[in-house]
Amino acid sequence: MPIIMSLLENWCTGEGLDASHALVVKQVPVEATVRHIEETLMTIKALGRVRVRGRMFNPQSQSLMVLCQCSERVNTKTIPLDVPPIEGGELWTLHGPADEENVNTEKRQTEPLPQDSSTSTEEAAAPEMSSDTMPGNSAESIIRAVGDLLAKTMRPAQESNVFRRLRVYSGISPIPPGEESLDTWMEQAQLMVDESDCSIREKRKRIIESLRGPALEIAQAVRANDPDASPEEYIEALEKAFGSPESPEDLYFSFRALRQSAGERLSDFLRRVERNLTRVVQRGGISPNLRDSARVDQLLRGVTESEILLLQLRLRERKRDPPSFLTLLNEIREEEFQQSLRRKNTAPSARPVVRASTKPIPCSLIRNLITHLVRYPKHCESKRGVSLSGRFS
């Protein structure tokens, strides 16, 4: 256990994470995907939202050790020591910071103080990094950790400042010019929290800086109640204050009632389905691992004008292995493009239209024609084969 805990602390330091919100997962198969790992750990409600922040191969167990960041504070006294994968297999073991505190306390009680008070901190920590305690090759582990740290510290400024500023949100209705709606602001804020490498304090600062008016008052209330509140808690408080009061069940039934509008393209309908599905999943109306299936089911259920396109995509046959949102959107847009080309190629070519002249005939020409017909009726009959003599008698 001391080995795992020292690894957790060092790993979190290299990744710039708070060790109290992190844990190390062992015995993870090499072929396990990031999504599989995150969905498995999020079955433990006490961890909250879980994100994979690093993976390391352990040659001794021929498996992965995975560093995960949790939105909730991790305490191994309130979570199981192992977790079964959602797709079955060998149990994964969990190691969190609560064990580290116990181990450090025991070490302080049992280990004697160093004789030389001038011994540096690096020398005191050196036994923890010895080849007997570190899993695998210690030299490779140290080089990898130093390389990761250098890569983060030498990252270009543009990359680290991608999420420098969020759009303004005040909670005022109707939405003032230059501000975002709550749903759009929450998507941007959650993306910043999940993907930005800055500290929790910096994320919290960016959220508060983007708020105005009533929304800022809610954030101030959260900070007054808990100065160390996480960025996720600020976002959750704003959603409760200004979001839809609908329950997860109400959101689910609204999602199931979506229908394609007249003239709406299938790709546009899919985007509308995805926006509503995201809200349902965030509020707990649908499990995240059922998201792809729910999307395909509702697309088949709500389409009213694109049945032929759905048949060409064979979505009913793919319900057991549904595609992801981006994959499905790309397939639909490609098929819509092919349909537009076929309609363009089969459209009838435009024929020239001959218009009658509206220019008036001169009166002199009409008089001469009448005079000629009266004087020479038989000549005209022989030429035209029509009797004209009776018309001008």
Side-chain angles (χ1 to χ4, degrees):
M1 189 65 67
I3 298 175
I4 295 299
M5 290 306 104
S6 61
L7 175 63
L8 172 62
E9 183 178 6
N10 295 333
W11 206 344
C12 288
T13 302
E15 295 290 343
L17 302 178
D18 183 0
S20 64
H21 286 264
L23 55 81
V24 172
V25 187
K26 293 188 64 178
Q27 304 299 330
V28 179
V30 178
E31 63 274 8
T33 63
V34 171
R35 178 179 178 183
H36 180 201
I37 297 171
E38 292 177 348
E39 290 180 353
T40 297
L41 295 180
M42 280 193 289
T43 58
I44 304 175
K45 301 301 182 182
L47 298 179
R49 183 187 295 272
V50 180
R51 289 289 180 267
V52 173
R53 297 307 183 193
R55 293 183 291 180
M56 183 185 301
F57 179 71
N58 187 351
Q60 296 178 351
S61 61
Q62 293 296 308
S63 61
L64 295 179
M65 293 188 296
V66 183
L67 176 65
C68 297
Q69 183 183 26
C70 309
S71 60
E72 302 294 334
R73 190 176 299 273
V74 179
N75 187 348
T76 53
K77 296 180 181 179
T78 60
I79 63 174
L81 297 180
D82 48 38
V83 59
I86 58 176
E87 296 182 358
E90 184 180 356
L91 295 178
W92 302 350
T93 57
L94 309 179
H95 306 273
D99 293 336
E100 183 178 10
E101 295 177 359
N102 297 336
V103 170
N104 291 339
T105 303
E106 293 175 0
K107 290 175 65 178
R108 286 194 297 267
Q109 294 176 351
T110 57
E111 293 182 357
L113 294 175
Q115 298 297 325
D116 186 2
S117 58
S118 62
T119 303
S120 64
T121 305
E122 291 80 1
E123 293 174 351
E128 294 183 359
M129 302 295 294
S130 65
S131 59
D132 296 335
T133 58
M134 285 298 293
N137 191 323
S138 61
E140 293 180 359
S141 302
I142 295 173
I143 293 174
R144 186 183 297 109
V146 172
D148 292 342
L149 183 60
L150 290 176
K152 288 183 177 297
T153 56
M154 300 177 65
R155 181 172 299 164
Q158 292 84 355
E159 182 179 351
S160 61
N161 293 336
V162 172
F163 302 98
R164 173 62 64 187
R165 186 179 297 276
L166 294 173
R167 298 293 296 272
V168 175
Y169 176 71
S170 65
I172 299 175
S173 182
I175 302 174
E179 293 191 9
E180 295 286 358
S181 65
L182 176 62
D183 292 339
T184 304
W185 182 88
M186 286 184 57
E187 290 176 0
Q188 296 174 354
Q190 193 63 56
L191 183 64
M192 182 272 295
V193 171
D194 293 340
E195 302 299 333
S196 177
D197 292 329
C198 60
S199 64
I200 294 179
R201 181 179 179 181
E202 179 65 21
K203 293 177 182 178
R204 186 166 54 232
K205 176 184 176 182
R206 294 181 187 181
I207 289 177
I208 296 176
E209 287 178 345
S210 68
L211 302 178
R212 303 288 187 276
L216 181 59
E217 295 175 359
I218 296 297
Q220 291 173 343
V222 173
R223 183 171 58 182
N225 184 57
D226 182 8
D228 296 327
S230 65
E232 290 85 355
E233 291 175 335
Y234 281 87
I235 296 175
E236 182 180 359
L238 290 168
E239 181 182 13
K240 291 180 179 179
F242 303 103
S244 172
E246 294 177 302
S247 65
E249 292 77 12
D250 295 335
L251 291 174
Y252 175 77
F253 287 121
S254 298
F255 166 74
R256 297 295 287 175
L258 291 175
R259 295 294 182 270
Q260 186 181 16
S261 303
E264 185 180 22
R265 296 187 305 174
L266 185 59
S267 57
D268 294 333
F269 178 56
L270 174 62
R271 295 188 185 96
R272 187 155 58 92
V273 168
E274 184 65 18
R275 286 194 298 269
N276 286 268
L277 178 59
T278 299
R279 294 178 58 196
V280 177
V281 172
Q282 290 176 347
R283 297 290 295 275
I286 296 178
S287 175
N289 58 343
L290 299 178
R291 182 169 187 153
D292 292 340
S293 299
R295 182 188 305 110
V296 172
D297 287 341
Q298 187 54 37
L299 201 64
L300 295 171
R301 179 190 182 102
V303 165
T304 58
E305 298 191 353
S306 306
E307 293 86 350
I308 297 178
L309 196 151
L310 288 181
L311 290 175
Q312 294 172 340
L313 294 175
R314 302 178 62 85
L315 278 187
R316 295 188 184 277
E317 292 80 359
R318 300 163 64 187
K319 289 178 64 175
R320 292 188 176 181
D321 186 19
S324 65
F325 167 68
L326 293 179
T327 301
L328 184 56
L329 178 61
N330 184 53
E331 293 178 0
I332 291 176
R333 295 191 66 223
E334 288 182 356
E335 190 59 36
E336 288 177 341
F337 177 72
Q338 295 298 328
Q339 283 188 353
S340 64
L341 288 181
R342 288 193 291 267
R343 285 195 297 267
K344 184 177 180 180
N345 293 333
T346 57
S349 59
R351 297 180 179 179
V353 178
V354 179
R355 298 182 180 273
S357 176
T358 59
K359 185 177 181 180
I361 301 175
C363 294
S364 59
L365 180 61
I366 296 176
R367 284 196 300 268
N368 293 337
L369 178 61
I370 294 175
T371 303
H372 181 76
L373 292 175
V374 171
R375 291 181 179 180
Y376 309 101
K378 292 185 178 181
H379 178 73
C380 293
E381 290 176 4
S382 63
K383 292 291 184 180
R384 303 288 299 175
V386 186
S387 177
L388 300 173
S389 57
R391 296 185 181 181
F392 302 99
S393 58

